[in-house]
């Protein structure tokens, strides 16, 4: 398993190319925020909203586009959630993410300093919502007015496919609300974490996980052939 310093180094390796592009776009006044000349506070707010929303679409595509899911599947095969899950991304997905960051930097005209600031916050949010930190439910419900919390993201790691296909946000919970993909109806203790068809420990070794995107993909079924299901419950607030 990767340690946290290892995690930081691997994730930071995603930055040099987008930073170089941010300098290049700034010099040539390319991209939305380079055209608008907004006050600093507005630039900060716009950067966080635009980039987090771009990542919402990215995460959606990771699940909905079959070739991307092959890579993102590796992240979801973890059988229990903790901060190390945040480091469990396939090399291929990390390389693809560099492409997304670069395109977003050009389109939105994100400056190099704002890019690094956003990226640090984004990584902190990823560590936070993958953590097994059991916050009091009242605290999570307040945080969940704005942020993606561990209980909310836990539902995204369920072996029930409908639950995995929800809660695609990283930092703010609003995008899932906007798209009707917010799910808060499953209590934390009721969730079995993982991908239904990939639950045998001996299949989840580093080598096999690295090869997983390049092999035939299994249907969303448990090894015994069952499809995991659960009745959706109405839920205004995050379930305990
Ligand atoms: Zn996912």
């Amino acid at each position: 398993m990767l340690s946290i310093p290892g995690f930081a180094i691997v994730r930071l390796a995603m930055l040099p190319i987008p930073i170089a592009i941010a300098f290049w776009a700034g010099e040539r006044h390319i991209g939305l925020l380079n055209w608008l000349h907004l006050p600093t506070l507005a630039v900060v707010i716009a950067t966080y909203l635009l980039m987090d929303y771009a990542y919402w679409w990215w995460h959606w595509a990771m699940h909905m586009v079959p070739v991307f899911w092959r890579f993102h599947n590796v992240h979801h095969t973890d059988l229990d959630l903790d901060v190390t899950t945040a480091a469990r991304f396939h090399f291929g997905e990390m390389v693809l993410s560099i492409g997304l960051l670069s395109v977003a930097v050009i389109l939105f005209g994100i400056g190099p300093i704002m890019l690094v600031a956003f990226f640090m916050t984004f990584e902190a949010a990823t560590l936070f919502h993958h953590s097994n930190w059991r916050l009091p439910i009242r605290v999570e419900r307040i945080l969940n007015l704005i942020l993606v919390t561990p209980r909310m993201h836990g539902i995204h790691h369920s072996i029930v496919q409908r639950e995995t296909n929800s809660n695609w946000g990283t930092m703010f919970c609003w995008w899932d609300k906007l798209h009707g993909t917010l799910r808060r109806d499953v209590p934390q203790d009721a969730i079995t974490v993982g991908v239904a068809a990939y639950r045998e420990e001996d299949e989840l070794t580093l080598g096999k996980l690295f090869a997983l995107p390049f092999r035939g993909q299994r249907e969303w079924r448990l090894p015994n052939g069952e499809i995991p299901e659960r009745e959706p419950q109405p839920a205004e607030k995050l379930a305990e």
Side-chain angles (χ1 to χ4, degrees):
M1 253 322 141
L2 286 169
S3 62
I4 297 296
F7 164 84
I9 291 164
V10 170
R11 302 291 292 181
L12 286 173
M14 291 163 63
L15 275 178
I17 295 172
I19 289 176
I21 291 174
F23 275 111
W24 174 86
E27 277 167 17
R28 284 165 186 73
H29 293 280
I30 295 170
L32 188 66
L33 296 175
N34 286 324
W35 294 330
L36 291 178
H37 299 288
L38 298 171
T40 309
L41 183 64
V43 171
V44 172
I45 293 170
T47 299
Y48 277 84
L49 292 178
L50 289 169
M51 293 297 283
D52 192 54
Y53 190 40
Y55 267 103
W56 184 92
W57 278 108
W58 176 250
H59 193 187
W60 175 88
M62 280 288 143
H63 282 261
M64 290 297 145
V65 179
V67 66
F68 288 168
W69 169 251
R70 285 171 172 261
F71 292 94
H72 190 60
N73 189 359
V74 173
H75 171 66
H76 278 268
T77 56
D78 207 346
L79 297 174
D80 49 19
L81 278 184
D82 52 42
V83 288
T84 66
T85 315
R88 187 191 176 101
F89 285 100
H90 194 279
F91 176 73
E93 180 172 348
M94 306 264 285
V95 172
L96 290 168
S97 305
I98 296 173
L100 167 83
L101 260 181
S102 305
V103 170
V105 161
I106 293 176
L107 285 178
F108 302 145
I110 308 292
I113 293 170
M114 274 316 300
L115 172 62
V116 174
F118 167 79
F119 192 81
M120 296 298 184
T121 321
F122 187 83
E123 293 301 298
T126 305
L127 285 174
F128 170 62
H129 69 222
H130 284 110
S131 72
N132 48 9
W133 197 6
R134 286 194 78 114
L135 295 166
I137 186 69
R138 273 183 305 173
V139 174
E140 270 211 37
R141 281 178 182 153
I142 293 165
L143 292 176
N144 195 227
L145 296 171
I146 300 170
L147 299 176
V148 175
T149 64
R151 279 182 176 85
M152 177 182 158
H153 193 73
I155 297 171
H156 177 70
H157 278 267
S158 163
I159 59 163
V160 178
Q161 193 173 23
R162 179 172 36 77
E163 293 168 2
T164 294
N165 288 340
S166 66
N167 299 358
W168 279 304
T170 301
M171 213 180 279
F172 304 118
C173 64
W174 306 318
W175 319 124
D176 282 299
K177 216 168 197 178
L178 183 71
H179 290 273
T181 54
L182 182 63
R183 203 166 261 297
R184 310 199 252 214
D185 59 340
V186 194
Q188 199 169 26
D189 291 334
I191 296 167
T192 307
V193 170
V195 179
Y198 298 89
R199 299 190 49 75
E200 309 288 345
E201 297 257 2
D202 63 343
E203 288 187 318
L204 303 177
T205 60
L206 197 61
K208 286 185 181 170
L209 287 175
F210 192 83
L212 191 141
F214 311 108
R215 308 184 62 150
Q217 302 289 297
R218 299 177 194 157
E219 271 184 72
W220 197 283
R221 278 175 193 279
L222 292 166
N224 66 10
E226 271 175 44
I227 297 175
E229 249 316 328
R230 184 185 357 250
E231 278 299 309
Q233 304 292 323
E236 268 299 298
K237 286 179 180 163
L238 199 59
E240 189 165 0

